[in-house]
Amino acid sequence: GQNIDQPTEMTATEGAIVQINCTYQTSGFNGLFWYQQHAGEAPTFLSYNVLDGLEEKGRFSSFLSRSKGYSYLLLKELQMKDSASYLCAVRAFQSGGYNKLIFGAGTRLAVHP
Amino acid sequence: DADVTQTPRNRITKTGKRIMLECSQTKGHDRMYWYRQDPGLGLRLIYYSFDVKDINKGEISDGYSVSRQAQAKFSLSLESAIPNQTALYFCATSNSGREADTQYFGPGTRLTVL
C-alpha cells in the first residue's frame, strides 16, 4: 500500500527552529514535495527532493533519505506568518506512465510570540 | 493576476442539484487536476487530465465528472450533489516537461451541500 505519516500538530516559538518529519511507504517512489497551506488557502510549493540529502532555500530546508522512507522540513528563524499547515507529498510512478502525487494529512504548525 | 483561477470561490447548494466548478490557468501547463480536501485528510485526487483529449479517474471519482474544454480550462461537475461532497475543492496544474512536474494550486472552492 501507500502511506504517508506526519505529526498532526506542532507548536514553536517565534525566532526558533522547528523540524517537521514525514515518513512514507510507497512503491515507485519518484520524488517528495513539501507544500505550505494557510487556513482556507491554496497549498503553495516549498521544496522538492528526489535524491538523498539536504536542499536549502532561504529559511526553509528539506531533507530526504530514500532508504529510510523519511523526509523532514526544517524552518529556521520562525516568524508568526509561518503558522500554517505543512503538507508532505510523495510522487509515485504508476503503471501507464503516470506519476501520482500522494498527500499526507498535513502538520498544523502554530508559532507563538 | 493569479495563474490558476477557480470559480465560484464559495457555493452553497442543496442535495440533488447539479453543480459545476470551473478552473482556468494562464501558466501554459498541459496537465490539470481536481482534488478535494476534507479536515484531517490529505488532498485526494478526483480526476486528472494530461491534455485536452486525455481524461483519467483519480482515487475518488464516483459522483463527479469533468470536462477539459481547452488546454487552459478544466471543469468539475457534480451531477447530483450530496452532503458528503461538502469539502474544499482545488484545481491544480503542472508542466510535464519542466519543474519536475510540480503541481500549482488554484485558490480553492468551498462547497457546502445542504
Side-chain angles (χ1 to χ4, degrees), chain A residues 27-49:
Chain A
S27 56
F29 176 84
N30 194 20
L32 187 143
F33 295 80
W34 284 96
Y35 284 82
Q36 180 190 60
Q37 185 180 24
H38 286 97
E41 298 183 8
T44 56
F45 169 71
L46 286 179
S47 68
Y48 168 68
N49 297 69

Side-chain angles (χ1 to χ4, degrees), chain B residues 35-101:
Chain B
Y35 290 90
R36 67 177 278 175
Q37 187 175 42
D38 299 275
L41 299 177
L43 287 156
R44 293 182 293 167
L45 184 64
I46 306 171
Y47 270 95
Y48 61 99
S49 169
F50 282 177
D51 64 42
V52 175
K53 298 179 181 179
D54 177 80
I55 302 289
N56 302 281
K57 292 182 177 180
E59 58 183 304
I60 53 163
S61 59
D62 288 348
Y64 301 95
S65 62
V66 292
S67 174
R68 184 85 182 264
Q69 302 94 322
Q71 186 187 34
K73 296 184 182 295
F74 193 36
S75 61
L76 176 72
S77 293
L78 288 68
E79 297 300 326
S80 180
I82 56 177
N84 76 1
Q85 291 178 313
T86 293
L88 190 53
Y89 289 84
F90 288 103
C91 172
T93 73
S94 70
N95 186 325
S96 58
R98 297 176 59 184
E99 299 177 293
D101 205 17

